[in-house]
Amino acid sequence: MGPQITTPAQAEPHKRSHMQPTDRRLANAIRALAMDAVEAANSGHPGMPMGMADAATALFTRHLKFDASDPHWPDRDRFILSAGHGSMLIYSLLYLTGYERPTLDDIKHFRQLGSPTAGHPENFELPGIEVTTGPLGQGVAMAVGMALAERHLNAVYGDELVDHRTFVIAGDGDLMEGVNHEAVGLAGHLKLGRLIVLWDDNNITIDGSTELSRNEDVVARHRAAHWHTSECDGLNADDVDRAIKEALADPRPSLIRCKTIIGYGAPHKQGTAATHGAALGADEVAAARVELGWDEPAFEIPDDVLTAWRTVGKRGAIDHAQWKDRLERNASKDEFLARLNGKVSDAWLKPYLDKLLADLKPVATRKASEMALEAINAAIPATIGGSADLTGSNNTKTKALEPLTPDNYAGRYIYYGIREFGMAAAMNGMALHGGIIPYGGTFLVFTDYARPAIRLSALQKARVIYVMTHDSIGLGEDGPTHQPIEHLQSLRAMPQIEVYRPADAVETAECWALALQSDEPSILALTRQNLMPARTEAAGENLSSRGAYRLKSSKNNRKVIILATGSEVEIALGAATQLEEQGIGTDVVSMPCTERFDAQPREYREDILPDVSNREILRVSIEAGTTFGWERYTGLHGLRIGIDRFGVSAPAKDAYAYFGLTSDRVATRISDFIKTRGIQ
Ligand SMILES: Cc1ncc(C[n+]2csc(CCOP(=O)(O)OP(=O)(O)O)c2C)c(N)n1
Ligand SMILES: [Mg+2]
C-alpha cells in the first residue's frame, strides 16, 4: 500500500462521515437541501437558511423541546420562523428530524402547486409550522402572543402541564417593521422571559446592505424595552449554544444577535443580496458543495447525517412521555384537554337572552357586547379580553376580569396599550397556541392599523374575535378621521373571516355566540350610540346564524325589500312603517353577516331575496358606510343608501340627518324612486 493521502474531508472534522457528524455537517444538510430545493423550483430564498443553518442546528439539537412523532404535543416548545422567506430552513428541519411531512418528495416539489412546502411556511399545510409567516414582523409579534399564552396557561394549570418556551428566528426585516416595536414593547412590559429571539444579523436585505436604510442600534432598542440581549457568532453552533443558555438563564425576554453571512457556503455569492431570493445557479451550487465539503448528489442526505438528525427528532420523547404521565395523574386532565380542544358551549346564550328580553331598553351594541361578555366570560374561562387603550369605549372589560400582568399571569384582561397591530398579532399567537380564545378591541376605523394581522387571522383560521366599536358616523363628534366609511365592505371582501354588524342587544349576543363557535376569526362591528331593540321576542333559534333574516314582513302587497345592518335597521323599520302607510308593502331584512347569508341554501336566500325583476320588487340597502358592493344584494337597478365620501364632525343625530339617514328621508327616497322608475 502506498502512503495515505489525507483528503480535505479527512483533514477537516466537519467533513468526516464515518463517525457522529459534527454540528457543521448537520447544518450543511440544511444548506444543501435549501440550495437544491430553490434550484429545482428556480424560485425561493437560499441565503437565509444557509446563513442561519448553524444557529438552527444549535437550537434544534440542544435546546428545542419537541417530538417529531407528535407535532401537536401541547407542552412542546414553539418555534417560529419569523423570516418566513427562509422557509426551506424549517422544511429541511422538519424533514431531517423525522416529521411525517414534508417528505423528501415534498421538498423536491418546493413551491409547486399542491405541495405543502409552500413558498412561505403555512400553519395549515404542515404540522410543525406553528404560524404562517412571510409578512415580515408578524412572526415575532405572534410569538409574543404564544409566549403570553404559555404564561397564562402555566398560571392556570401549573408547571406540571405547561412549561415551555417560544423560540424565534428573525431577520433584519422582522426587526425593522413597525409592528416589531409594538411587539418588543409589549413583551418587555409583560416580562415574557420565555421568549427568545435569534436575530439573523447578516447586514443584508433585498436592496443590499442594511446601511442603506438603518442606523439604529437594534440591541440598545431591545435593552431599552427591558429585554436581555446577547451576541454570538451565528456560524458557530457552540457559540450560539452558549448564547441560548445565557438567554434561558435570564428572566427577561431575550434577543440573541447572531452574526452571520447570508448564503454562507456559496463561495462567490455569500454575503451579498444575490443569495437572498434567487436560485444560486448550477455552477455556484457545485462550488458551494466543494466549499462545504458536501459530496452528495442533489437531495441526498448521507446516512450518518440523517440518522443523527432523526435522533434529534426523538430527543423530546422522554420529556413527552413524562409529561403524559403527569397529565394522567393531574386532577385537571379532562378540563385541560377540553380547553385545548377549543370547543365551547353556547349554553350561556338562552338564559342570557331570556333575561335580556324580560327587560328591554335602548342600548348601544358596544354596551350590549359587554353585557353578553359578562355571561360569556363567566361561562368560558378560555376567553382573554383586551383593548388597545380604549377599554372604556370598547366595553371589553367585564367586572370579574383581572388584568393580566407579570405579577398575575392568571389575569384575563390585557392592557395592550396603543398597539393595534401588535394586539392583533399577539391575539393570533394566543389563538394558535391553543387553549385561549382572545378578543380585543379598538375603533372600527383602526382596523386599518391592525389589518395585516387581521388578514393573517383569516388566512391561518385563528379564532380571534375583534371587538370593533364606533362603527359609523354614529360616533359623532370625533369626525371623519374616526368615522369608518369603507371599512365594513373592505373587511367583508376578505376571505375566511366573518364580519358581524348586529342591530340590537339580542343580535349582539347571537353574533357573539356565532363568533365563539366558529373556527375562523370574526369582527364584531358595534355602535357607540344607543339603538332601539329590534328583536323583542324569543326566536327559539339563533336568527343571526342565517346571516340575514326577515325582521318585518310586508303588510301590503310587497313592493320593497329593505336590507339593513346594525344601527340602520332601526331607520329601515321606521321607513317601512311610513311606506306601509302609503300602501307600499315593505319587508325589512336585518343582515348582521353577509358572509353567512351567502352560505345559506339557495331556497333560503330565494325566500329572503326573491330573484324577481326589479320592476316587481325594489331592493334597497341601507348601511352608514360605502354603497360599494351592495349591488350584490340590491341588483344593479336597486337603491343603495349609504355614504360615499368621508364623514363629518358633528353630533351623531346631526351627522345622520346630514347624510339623509333618517326614516323620513329614506321613506321619501324609496317612494320617489318607485314613482320615477314606475314600479307597480
Ligand atoms: C411586510 C413585508 N414587506 C416586504 C416583504 C418582502 N421581503 C421579503 S424578504 C425581505 C427582505 C428582508 O430582509 P432580511 O430580513 O434581512 O432577510 P435576509 O435578506 O437577510 O434573508 C423583503 C423586503 C415581506 N415579506 N413582508
Ligand atoms: Mg438580513
Side-chain angles (χ1 to χ4, degrees), residues 171-173 199-205 210 262 276:
D172 300 302
W199 167 27
D200 176 17
D201 178 21
N202 60 17
N203 270 100
I204 289 288
T205 66
T210 49
I262 191 168
H276 164 90

Side-chain angles (χ1 to χ4, degrees), residues 370-416:
E370 181 188 337
M371 288 153 49
L373 275 170
E374 288 287 358
I376 292 164
N377 286 339
I380 303 173
T383 54
I384 290 194
S387 166
D389 202 45
L390 287 169
T391 295
S393 300
N394 302 145
N395 298 61
T396 35
K397 186 174 176 309
T398 53
K399 285 186 208 73
L401 290 194
E402 288 178 14
L404 189 159
T405 65
D407 298 325
N408 182 22
Y409 286 121
R412 289 170 57 195
Y413 194 78
I414 301 175
Y415 291 107
Y416 287 102

Side-chain angles (χ1 to χ4, degrees), residues 71-85:
H72 301 292
W73 170 24
D75 202 31
R76 70 192 181 281
D77 285 346
R78 304 304 196 264
F79 171 69
I80 295 176
L81 183 66
S82 193
H85 58 280

Side-chain angles (χ1 to χ4, degrees), residues 296-325:
E296 316 302 322
F299 297 110
E300 281 186 27
I301 305 297
D303 286 346
D304 65 320
V305 173
L306 194 58
T307 306
W309 269 118
R310 291 287 149 96
T311 307
V312 170
K314 296 187 182 98
R315 198 169 46 79
I318 295 170
D319 268 346
H320 188 181
Q322 288 171 346
W323 179 86
K324 276 188 179 157
D325 281 349

Side-chain angles (χ1 to χ4, degrees), residues 34-50:
M35 287 193 297
D36 294 343
V38 173
E39 210 59 27
N42 195 22
S43 164
H45 302 75
M48 187 267 150
M50 293 176 79

Side-chain angles (χ1 to χ4, degrees), residues 57 99 130 169 175 243 264 296 364-365 423 433 482 577-578 610 629 657:
T57 300
Y99 283 76
E130 305 285 357
I169 288 182
L175 303 191
Y264 183 71
E296 316 302 322
T365 50
M423 169 177 77
H433 177 281
H482 283 52
T577 306
Q578 296 189 20

Side-chain angles (χ1 to χ4, degrees), residues 156-199:
V156 176
Y157 293 104
D159 290 344
E160 298 270 287
L161 298 187
V162 184
D163 181 19
H164 54 268
R165 297 174 194 280
T166 305
F167 290 95
V168 181
I169 288 182
D172 300 302
D174 289 301
L175 303 191
M176 277 189 208
E177 289 288 351
V179 71
N180 181 260
H181 295 240
E182 299 182 23
V184 167
L186 202 53
H189 175 74
L190 291 169
K191 301 192 173 146
L192 299 175
R194 287 165 165 255
L195 173 64
I196 297 178
V197 177
L198 291 101
W199 167 27

